[in-house]
Amino acid sequence: MTHSRPSDPVRWRRDFPLLSQRVHGQPLIYLDNAATTQKPRVVVEAISRFYKTSNANVHRGSHALSAQATTAFEQARTTLANWLGIDDPACLIWTRGTTEAINLVAQSWGRNQLRADDLILLQQSSHHANIVPWQMLAETVGARIEVIPLQPDGDLDLEAYQLLLQKRPKLIALSHVSNALGTRYPVEQLCRLGRDAGAVTLVDGAQALPHFDIDLTRFGCDFYAFSGHKLFGPSGIGALWGRRELLEQMPPWQGGGEMIRDVSFSGTTYADLPFRFEAGTPNIEGAIGLAAAIEYLQQQDRTAMERHEQTLLQHARDCCSQLKGFRELPFGSDRVSLLSFELEGFHQQDVAHWLDRHGIAIRAGHHCAMPLMRSLGLPGSLRASFAFYNRLDEAEQLASCLDQLIQSQTTSTTVAFIEQKTSQNLIKRVYSATDWNARYQALMHIGQSLPGLPDALKQDCYRLHGCESRVWLVPALDDTGRLACQADADARILRALLALLLDRINGLTPAELLSTDLGAVLDQLDIRRHLSPSRGNGVAAIIQAIEAFARDPRG
Ligand code: PMP
């Protein structure tokens, strides 16, 4: 095994072509690794080589190319199995990712084994992928769900867990590492306790394997799920490992080719493990690409990588903790290199947008952990997630860019205050700006100075759905039958867009509005190019709601 020099992110970085990209004219600082990781060149090349030299369908071919593809595909399974300490590769089932792996267990094991009133334990901080499939199952079979809470410091509440175990749960679905907080939970211990209490345990390892190696033979869970794309491999591939004795009892959950032994109209018999769970043509190049990613990791010193990630995390914390209004979410006593935080006075979406303009990619929102965010009383957080290829100066730039945002808002408060009475001037500034930076500044000033909706109007009936942020639209006509709408949002950029739209529509008759192309207003300002697609969908939802009101104002 060749080890790279320890703590050598510069060298690791060179293996990842995408990291030298520029975004909005700035060098990319990619801190969204918990969403997906970048891929080393060897992964891209393995996929490309497969298509150039070995592409054929697997398992059922009767020619040399198919045999070659099958060998590569099954070798990929063995590579992953060896890496995870599994001595029986047939117990490693390819899936599209963690989500599909958990659904497989819920649909196959769960439907078959759980009965009405059986108890399923879920974890407060789990990703929706480890919540919703169990809710769907519980609805089908009439099972009950209870939740293992977190302590205020972010650690799992072990006492509460032990009390819940006394209720004899049938299934315990755990997260190895929280994707929203970064906390690493003591799943080996939790699984041991769970199994001693007679439960089957499943661990969602999506956020764990990108940071450290595990040995599944000694781990103690019954099922372990993970995704390739978070593990420096391709999208659309992942796996489920399960104990043979459980997998053998489980019926297939999807039918089709590849998973059968014999089919006739009087009945079908199924193939052995793992194929009975792999209906249809699999993601062959995905498996091969993922194996290349694992081989890449095996050639590195993972302990040095982990050490570097922890240094990055600590450095980011040191730099950011100096910032006014910076507050970390609770993260427990052990965590991976993930910083989940809020910036007081700023909506997360505005912060993420600001950072993006400076080339820094982070994630803002609920991170598919809505029950967790609700329990923390937050709509979401900002999440900077580091991989071994990130550099210390990138952590510094994150902090310095956040600082610039804080400073710019301190100065702009005065500007916004002075200009509040002359918001037409601000609107003019948006339209006359010659570049996006100037336009963005003007938009942020508008977003800050737009008078807010009174709380009494921030009701559910005025909430628009389909937006990442909370948006309210109060549609109304004045005495003369002209539009007099009000609106508000909790993200500044959306408040600004609402202000522009209201400026354009209020005072029009509904008929005049319907002959106005509101989308063109945004296109004229080139706004859509700079918004994330989900933010763009939010704006589209606002326009649709305004138009629906104009079509039927009394409806
Ligand atoms: N679990 C966790 C902890 C995750 O972070 C994610 C991805 N964000 C998932 C499950 C779902 O993974 P995938 O979308 O790859 O199926």
Side-chain angles (χ1 to χ4, degrees):
M1 188 190 290
T2 50
H3 287 295
S4 53
R5 272 169 291 134
S7 300
D8 196 351
V10 175
R11 185 166 157 202
W12 289 324
R13 275 181 90 77
R14 282 195 211 119
D15 298 330
F16 290 77
L18 191 139
L19 294 176
S20 48
Q21 287 271 325
R22 293 177 81 81
V23 171
H24 304 313
Q26 320 264 354
L28 168 68
I29 296 182
Y30 187 75
L31 304 180
D32 195 17
N33 293 287
T36 201
T37 50
Q38 298 307 336
K39 320 303 171 198
R41 192 173 286 102
V42 285
V43 168
V44 181
E45 283 169 0
I47 297 170
S48 162
R49 195 165 50 245
F50 168 73
Y51 278 122
K52 284 184 189 154
T53 65
S54 322
N55 177 43
N57 211 329
V58 288
H59 296 139
R60 55 200 159 192
S62 36
H63 52 83
L65 212 52
S66 172
Q68 197 175 321
T70 306
T71 305
F73 179 65
E74 288 306 325
Q75 181 53 48
R77 197 190 307 267
T78 307
T79 301
L80 256 80
N82 289 343
W83 180 60
L84 294 166
I86 304 167
D87 49 16
D88 186 358
C91 294
L92 193 71
I93 296 150
W94 293 119
T95 62
R96 283 192 295 126
T98 310
T99 306
E100 192 175 68
I102 297 174
N103 275 280
L104 190 167
V105 179
Q107 293 304 314
S108 170
W109 180 87
R111 272 174 183 249
N112 217 34
Q113 300 291 331
L114 293 194
R115 304 275 169 273
D117 289 331
D118 280 348
L119 179 61
I120 300 173
L121 290 189
L122 303 182
Q123 205 175 310
Q124 184 74 57
S125 51
S126 277
H127 187 280
H128 297 164
N130 207 9
I131 297 176
V132 184
W134 304 114
Q135 289 175 326
M136 291 163 69
L137 169 66
E139 241 168 64
T140 313
V141 302
R144 293 173 301 125
I145 288 178
E146 292 206 38
V147 179
I148 316 163
L150 296 183
Q151 297 175 167
D153 67 358
D155 274 330
L156 187 129
D157 188 336
L158 211 55
E159 248 175 62
Y161 179 57
Q162 282 174 318
L163 285 177
L164 286 166
L165 290 181
Q166 290 173 11
K167 300 186 181 182
R168 313 300 283 178
K170 285 275 165 43
L171 184 279
I172 306 173
L174 298 164
S175 298
H176 201 164
V177 168
S178 157
N179 68 306
L181 305 173
T183 315
R184 178 176 176 172
Y185 302 104
V187 273
E188 291 95 327
Q189 181 194 8
L190 300 175
C191 287
R192 189 168 14 85
L193 293 168
R195 294 188 81 212
D196 288 350
V200 163
T201 56
L202 173 139
V203 177
D204 169 352
Q207 297 292 343
L209 297 181
H211 298 284
F212 49 86
D213 292 344
I214 63 166
D215 181 351
L216 275 177
T217 42
R218 290 188 302 152
F219 203 76
C221 64
D222 295 299
F223 295 105
Y224 197 92
F226 61 94
S227 300
H229 69 99
K230 304 209 192 262
L231 200 43
F232 315 101
S235 307
I237 188 79
L240 171 76
W241 170 81
R243 280 186 196 280
R244 181 171 269 279
E245 58 273 27
L246 291 177
L247 292 174
E248 275 179 346
Q249 289 165 10
M250 289 163 48
W253 75 308
Q254 290 178 337
E258 295 265 348
M259 50 76 75
I260 52 92
R261 177 170 297 146
D262 185 75
V263 178
S264 74
F265 283 111
S266 56
T268 293
T269 52
Y270 304 118
D272 290 332
L273 291 175
F275 309 115
R276 57 164 43 204
F277 294 113
E278 293 179 356
T281 299
N283 182 350
I284 309 166
E285 74 280 22
I288 290 169
L290 179 52
I294 300 309
E295 280 162 5
Y296 174 82
L297 290 178
Q298 285 176 317
Q299 284 160 12
Q300 317 303 322
D301 180 347
R302 277 210 104 189
T303 315
M305 286 178 163
E306 206 184 330
R307 215 172 27 240
H308 173 63
E309 288 180 1
Q310 288 296 322
T311 310
L312 279 167
L313 175 66
Q314 195 47 49
H315 195 54
R317 292 187 71 198
D318 290 346
C319 299
C320 290
S321 58
Q322 318 286 330
L323 302 174
K324 186 167 158 274
F326 174 85
R327 191 183 77 83
E328 279 189 81
L329 268 59
F331 50 82
S333 43
D334 191 6
R335 73 167 148 170
V336 301
S337 47
L338 185 154
L339 190 66
S340 198
F341 64 97
E342 294 179 283
L343 208 55
E344 202 184 300
F346 293 89
H347 190 277
Q348 329 120 29
Q349 303 292 348
D350 292 330
V351 179
H353 193 73
W354 166 273
L355 292 172
D356 177 53
R357 286 178 48 234
H358 294 84
I360 303 179
I362 68 159
R363 177 62 71 90
H366 52 64
H367 316 301
C368 297
M370 284 173 120
L372 168 71
M373 290 302 164
R374 220 164 263 140
S375 73
L376 295 170
L378 299 172
S381 77
L382 291 152
R383 182 184 75 185
S385 49
F386 298 87
F388 58 82
Y389 44 59
N390 288 120
R391 292 182 314 233
L392 290 174
D393 65 281
E394 293 182 312
E396 285 158 21
Q397 288 192 48
L398 168 69
S400 120
C401 196
L402 288 171
D403 192 35
Q404 282 167 31
L405 173 65
I406 296 165
Q407 300 307 331
S408 78
Q409 293 305 307
T410 322
T411 43
S412 71
T413 313
T414 354
V415 178
F417 179 71
I418 295 164
E419 290 185 339
Q420 195 154 5
K421 282 197 230 70
T422 55
S423 63
Q424 282 305 319
N425 281 348
L426 275 173
I427 291 178
K428 260 191 227 133
R429 259 174 58 196
V430 172
Y431 284 101
S432 62
T434 48
D435 64 45
W436 175 250
N437 274 354
R439 179 163 294 147
Y440 180 78
Q441 282 294 345
L443 284 167
M444 289 317 255
H445 285 179
I446 292 182
Q448 198 174 19
S449 59
L450 182 78
L453 266 189
D455 281 348
L457 286 177
K458 287 187 175 171
Q459 290 171 15
D460 261 4
C461 57
Y462 297 127
R463 262 297 286 282
L464 293 186
H465 296 281
C467 312
E468 276 172 53
S469 327
R470 294 190 305 158
V471 175
W472 296 266
L473 176 73
V474 185
L477 296 180
D478 66 13
D479 297 346
T480 65
R482 293 176 181 275
L483 289 156
C485 303
Q486 289 173 277
D488 203 351
D490 52 8
R492 251 176 224 170
I493 182 87
L494 265 183
R495 299 186 95 230
L497 297 180
L498 284 167
L500 292 186
L501 287 172
L502 292 187
D503 177 65
R504 195 49 85 91
I505 66 162
N506 278 342
L508 298 180
T509 63
E512 283 167 345
L513 179 123
L514 288 173
S515 57
T516 306
D517 181 354
L518 290 182
V521 176
L522 303 176
D523 290 340
Q524 179 192 351
L525 298 172
D526 203 17
I527 279 170
R528 289 200 247 223
R529 194 160 67 86
H530 295 277
L531 295 179
S532 67
S534 47
R535 179 55 51 86
N537 293 342
V539 175
I542 295 168
I543 293 178
Q544 271 172 19
I546 294 173
E547 288 173 346
F549 173 71
R551 269 193 296 276
D552 186 10
R554 321 253 165 236

